[in-house]
Amino acid sequence: MSNYAIILAAGKGTRMKSDLPKVMHKVAGLTMLEHVYRAVQAITPAKTVTVIGHKAELVREVLGDKSEFVMQTEQLGTGHAVMMAEDELAGLDGQTLVIAGDTPLITGDSLTKLVDFHVNHKNVATILTAEADEPFGYGRIIRNENDEVTKIVEQKDANDFEKQVKEINTGTYLFDNKRLFEALKNINTNNAQGEYYLTDVIGIFKEAGEKVGAYKLRDFDESLGVNDRVALATAEKVMRARLTKQHMVNGVTFVNPDATYLDADVEIGEEAVIEANVTLKGQTKVGARTVLTNGTYLVDALIGEDAVITNSMIEESTVEAGVTVGPYAHIRPGSTLAKDVHIGNFVEVKGSSIGENTKAGHLTYIGNAEVGSNVNFGAGTITVNYDGQNKYKTTIGNNVFVGSNSTLIAPLEIGDNALTAAGSTITEDVPMDSIAIGRGRQVNKEGYAIKKPHHPSQQ
Ligand code: UD1
Ligand code: MG
């Protein structure tokens, strides 16, 4: 039988106090909606319909052509939101997963088990539930004396007895598709929030004598519904623990996993060592045996094997095997550091390619440059790439020795094996094998210092 999926993502998320629609807030670098979408793929739905409304276009972009979309122009409740999918799904044989877009921790594994449970029990509706220590805010699962589910009661509609119930509705359900849309015709807004509650269909099925069940998650964490930023931080913490655990199982050492911040898609090779306070964002990949020390911050960075990145920031750049960076270096977007390059303290590289084994040990800026292999940059070298309007390129050959405090005014080419004298301002191309000296000559005025107040003879 075919599976279908409806993701509810039309709400504003008033309690987030945000301009951004709630489901677009991120957990481990991915929007909550994307997390939910990924989990849903585990049941291979023949069709996924996402209900959008508040700032619909922004939300639509998250999933693009991976989902069908239906509009809910007014957010009249979760039941109303599901009704919006009627044109897409009603009349199809099969079963439909309904999931809230604000539950980013639910796993594909649990959804698969929910489907199996639903099918095995021949239910018309199965609720994914969990046991909460603090159930406040969630819909409660009400059971009769035979332990059968009879209905779901929302927090705001619950009586004192119902408020004591700790089994909560995760906001995820499996329904017989046709029966779902039939039952929705019978819900109303007679409740504390004046909304069409999806949860009311459970009571409707039960009263009609249909088979309703609940599949209870073992782990409450999965069911977390993010309605405010406190819950968002909790979701981040749980996700972080999951991600670091998976990497540890794969052979990565974390000195303090609780203090390592990584996004969902980050990849790390075996035997890598990640110290505390390291942040790995976006599509970052870290090679085997690489060491990232305290304070390192990588955004969409590709780091090769056996590299050592010491307390440095690297963005949208490629760093090959054996490279050492830092401490306190900044590799900005569009840079490539070839094998065994050394970038030392207070060095900034931007939009540049640096050849194998080249070294810039200290206090240097390399921007818009193409640098060969085995080049040595003396301390204080600057590529002067910007005249206030345009950026210009510096090309440096292989085996070049750039003297300390060289100012290389682009556009500029320095040929292979050339040398620039320390303190030079280089404005013209330097041919290969040459020495370029671009500095004023020193003049010594003998005896002139005697009259100066600093001189011992004047004191
Ligand atoms: C809902 C459930 C509650 C459950 C909880 C789990 C109902 C009535 N209540 O409450 O039983 O314990 O989730 O987290 O369903 N949405 C729309 N259109 C709307 C309203 C909501 O698309 O008109 C979307 C929201 O964007 C959100 C999801 O549905 O992604 C859930 O809505 P929310 O307002 O967060 O419901 P809860 O109060 O958390
Ligand atoms: Mg919610």
Side-chain angles (χ1 to χ4, degrees), residues 172-192:
T172 300
Y173 327 75
L174 213 73
F175 296 106
D176 174 274
N177 184 62
K178 286 183 176 167
R179 309 307 286 280
L180 168 63
F181 289 100
E182 284 163 22
L184 282 171
K185 297 205 174 13
N186 298 318
I187 62 172
N188 57 48
T189 57
N190 300 333
N191 53 58

Side-chain angles (χ1 to χ4, degrees), residues 13-77:
T14 310
R15 291 163 279 184
M16 296 298 282
K17 308 219 165 84
S18 174
D19 281 343
L20 210 56
K22 175 165 67 175
V23 297
M24 291 193 64
H25 282 264
K26 289 183 176 178
V27 173
L30 289 182
T31 62
M32 294 200 273
L33 178 57
E34 177 77 28
H35 281 291
V36 169
Y37 175 81
R38 288 186 182 191
V40 165
Q41 294 322 294
I43 65 156
T44 53
K47 203 168 192 182
T48 302
V49 181
T50 304
V51 185
I52 53 177
H54 179 71
K55 299 205 173 170
E57 290 317 306
L58 272 180
V59 179
R60 187 193 291 262
E61 273 172 33
V62 173
L63 297 182
D65 54 15
K66 294 190 285 194
S67 172
E68 313 290 328
F69 295 93
V70 294
M71 272 295 280
Q72 186 197 24
T73 356
E74 267 187 296
Q75 282 79 59
L76 304 178

Side-chain angles (χ1 to χ4, degrees), residues 93-341:
D93 283 322
Q95 54 221 0
T96 299
L97 175 83
V98 177
I99 186 165
D102 65 349
T103 51
L105 299 175
I106 290 183
T107 61
D109 188 44
S110 295
L111 297 182
T112 310
K113 289 183 177 139
L114 172 67
V115 172
D116 291 346
F117 183 93
H118 177 86
V119 171
N120 293 340
H121 287 76
K122 300 192 168 59
N123 287 343
V124 165
T126 308
I127 312 158
L128 186 67
T129 71
E131 206 69 23
D133 289 341
E134 294 170 32
F136 183 86
Y138 290 94
R140 307 295 208 286
I141 306 301
I142 308 302
R143 292 173 181 268
N144 64 18
E145 59 284 356
N146 299 329
D147 212 29
E148 294 162 353
V149 176
T150 56
K151 60 176 177 175
I152 302 175
V153 178
E154 290 304 295
Q155 173 75 38
K156 288 185 180 155
D157 301 286
N159 62 34
D160 287 345
F161 171 76
E162 290 162 342
K163 281 179 187 155
Q164 302 299 312
V165 172
K166 301 221 157 177
E167 188 182 6
I168 59 101
N169 169 26
T170 64
T172 300
Y173 327 75
L174 213 73
F175 296 106
D176 174 274
N177 184 62
K178 286 183 176 167
R179 309 307 286 280
L180 168 63
F181 289 100
E182 284 163 22
L184 282 171
K185 297 205 174 13
N186 298 318
I187 62 172
N188 57 48
T189 57
N190 300 333
N191 53 58
Q193 301 186 81
E195 290 183 357
Y196 291 100
Y197 289 165
L198 172 60
T199 44
D200 283 353
V201 300
I202 300 299
I204 291 171
F205 284 134
K206 191 68 195 173
E207 277 165 31
E210 308 269 25
K211 202 155 177 253
V212 169
Y215 174 73
K216 203 190 282 187
L217 288 171
R218 275 210 216 122
D219 173 14
F220 169 76
D221 282 350
E222 274 197 49
S223 66
L224 185 77
V226 175
N227 294 325
D228 60 26
R229 296 191 200 231
V230 178
L232 186 68
T234 307
E236 182 79 34
K237 191 173 170 193
V238 173
M239 189 68 82
R240 180 156 65 235
R242 269 190 206 168
L243 291 168
T244 48
K245 183 175 176 195
Q246 191 53 51
H247 288 295
M248 288 186 275
V249 168
N250 293 345
V252 177
T253 294
F254 288 90
V255 173
N256 182 355
D258 295 336
T260 307
Y261 307 92
L262 35 90
D263 284 353
D265 289 341
V266 166
E267 292 175 24
I268 311 175
E270 276 181 29
E271 308 273 15
V273 177
I274 318 289
E275 292 188 359
N277 295 320
V278 166
T279 301
L280 307 177
K281 286 177 131 18
Q283 305 298 310
T284 290
K285 292 186 174 44
V286 176
R289 298 174 301 282
T290 282
V291 177
L292 306 178
T293 84
N294 203 307
T296 290
Y297 195 102
L298 308 183
V299 184
D300 296 327
L302 303 180
I303 312 291
E305 300 179 346
D306 302 297
V308 180
I309 314 296
T310 308
N311 201 350
S312 291
M313 180 169 188
I314 303 180
E315 306 167 90
E316 294 167 40
S317 290
T318 300
V319 169
E320 292 181 3
V323 167
T324 51
V325 175
Y328 321 119
H330 188 184
I331 313 299
R332 290 171 54 203
S335 300
T336 304
L337 311 183
K339 225 167 138 276
D340 298 328
V341 160

